[in-house]
Amino acid sequence: MGDLVTAHAFIQTAMRFDLTDLRLLLHIVETGSITAGADRSAMALASASARVRGMEETLGVPLLERGRRGISPTPAGRAAVHHARLVLHQIERMRGELAEYAKGLKGHVRLLSNTAALTEFLPDALAGFLAANPSIDIDLEERPSHAIVEAVAAGLADLGVVADMVDLAGLETRPFRADHLVAVMAPGHPLAGHEAIAFADLLDEPFVGLSPGSALQDYLNAHAARAGRTLAFRVRVRSADALCRLVERGVGLGIVPETAAQRASRGAAIRIVPLRDAWAPRLLVLCARRFTDLPAHARRLVDTLSADAPAASTRNDKSA
């Protein structure tokens, strides 16, 4: 009942807030920090704090709790965040539709991408789209696939690009690009002569891995666990390029997307051996809560990004 009263109070007073207030509140809740929320809003910390106090004074209730782990919304704050998302989403839809008729009116798309898509595929695709659509701006941020799914499901981003290895239940998806996982090793490694190799045949080898929290590394760890094994890491690094440089020096084996391996091979002497496991081919997908609910300019971006997508879909593809 308290949440309903708070929601009603928010609706009654929302006209006193401007869009900057609403975006700031979302950024603070998303980042768990007033400082980080202010930074994302391109605002001084003192100004951000003053705006939060102003919103709380207008509503007559606190919106944020300050704890040991950072900022979290109160029950009133959660209601305010819910309505702020609805308001901002509707404003963005209006902006996108009016941009079809009015010159100079900007549309914005918040796009989250995993490392593989951002590094290997998005730059070229976005460059062409932005050149052809000067009235559309894109707020692009790199995150792990699982974090992207959570953000899109919560309405904190319009679109995400993720590997289909993550749980996409509740979201609609469209294919974006296909990639294949490969093993990389030093040219003199005893396994370097194979044309293709099974993951199980690598499990006795020392590995150069990706950092904890990497969706790809978690995926590989899970497949090792299914085989009753754990990967033996010599070292773990944040990027595929760093991984390949260490592999070149004979530190261990690595598993990365083929596109990343091919790019790294231009500067590192490595042998690329495709994995022949059924799960090694993977699909990068676009995800949204509902594609039809996106603003017109965001739907245009979806159409552009999916234009060169592979024909095959996955079990997670729920879009028409």
Side-chain angles (χ1 to χ4, degrees):
M1 182 68 181
D3 282 358
L4 290 176
V5 172
T6 302
H8 179 72
F10 181 84
I11 294 170
Q12 293 297 313
T13 59
M15 291 303 293
R16 305 181 194 179
F17 302 157
D18 60 26
L19 296 181
T20 302
D21 290 330
L22 301 184
R23 289 195 180 94
L24 173 64
L25 180 62
L26 289 181
H27 289 161
I28 290 172
V29 171
E30 181 180 356
T31 61
S33 164
I34 293 179
T35 301
D39 184 62
R40 182 173 290 182
S41 302
M43 186 181 301
L45 177 58
S47 297
S49 298
R51 281 181 176 271
V52 171
R53 285 195 302 272
M55 285 188 282
E56 291 178 330
E57 289 170 1
T58 298
L59 287 170
V61 291
L63 298 176
L64 303 173
E65 292 178 330
R66 294 152 180 82
R68 295 172 60 186
R69 297 185 178 180
I71 297 293
S72 61
T74 64
R78 287 195 293 272
V81 165
H82 169 73
H83 287 285
R85 285 175 184 152
L86 294 178
V87 169
L88 291 171
H89 179 73
Q90 192 60 36
I91 290 291
E92 196 55 47
R93 289 202 66 173
M94 180 186 72
R95 188 198 306 271
E97 292 174 8
L98 292 180
E100 300 293 318
Y101 307 99
K103 292 183 179 179
L105 186 61
K106 286 281 189 179
H108 292 81
V109 181
R110 180 153 167 71
L111 172 64
L112 305 181
S113 173
N114 70 355
T115 304
L118 184 60
T119 303
E120 307 300 331
F121 300 111
L122 277 176
D124 288 342
L126 291 181
F129 176 83
L130 290 169
N133 295 273
S135 64
I136 301 176
D137 292 337
I138 297 174
D139 181 9
L140 176 62
E141 183 179 339
E142 179 182 349
R143 292 194 188 181
S145 289
H146 65 86
I148 294 172
V149 169
E150 292 172 2
V152 172
L156 300 176
D158 299 302
L159 291 170
V161 184
V162 302
D164 69 343
M165 62 183 67
V166 297
D167 184 3
L168 287 155
L171 297 181
E172 291 184 347
T173 70
R174 292 185 185 178
F176 173 56
R177 298 290 186 275
D179 206 353
H180 194 108
L181 295 177
V182 298
V184 290
M185 59 194 74
H189 192 280
L191 299 176
H194 289 255
E195 292 300 318
I197 197 165
F199 181 62
D201 295 334
L202 305 175
L203 295 179
D204 291 328
E205 300 293 328
F207 272 81
V208 179
L210 294 170
S211 299
S214 161
L216 172 57
Q217 195 60 65
D218 290 346
Y219 185 62
L220 296 173
N221 293 344
H223 278 286
R226 290 190 186 102
R229 304 289 297 277
T230 58
L231 299 179
F233 295 110
R234 297 291 310 283
V235 64
R236 300 180 71 166
V237 294
R238 292 185 59 85
S239 72
D241 285 341
L243 183 153
C244 290
R245 288 197 297 272
L246 288 165
V247 164
E248 179 186 23
R249 301 297 183 90
V251 174
L253 302 181
I255 295 177
V256 296
E258 185 175 17
T259 49
Q262 294 288 357
R263 176 170 44 78
S265 69
R266 294 195 288 268
I270 55 173
R271 173 80 169 99
I272 301 172
V273 181
L275 293 180
R276 61 169 178 252
D277 300 83
W279 48 264
R282 63 178 194 161
L283 189 67
L284 298 175
V285 298
L286 294 161
C287 63
R289 296 173 81 177
R290 284 183 60 85
F291 288 111
T292 55
D293 287 345
L294 292 171
H297 55 276
R299 295 197 302 272
R300 190 185 308 169
L301 176 60
V302 170
D303 291 341
T304 297
L305 294 181
S306 58
D308 295 326
S313 63
T314 70
R315 64 186 181 279
N316 293 315
D317 190 350
K318 300 178 183 179
S319 61

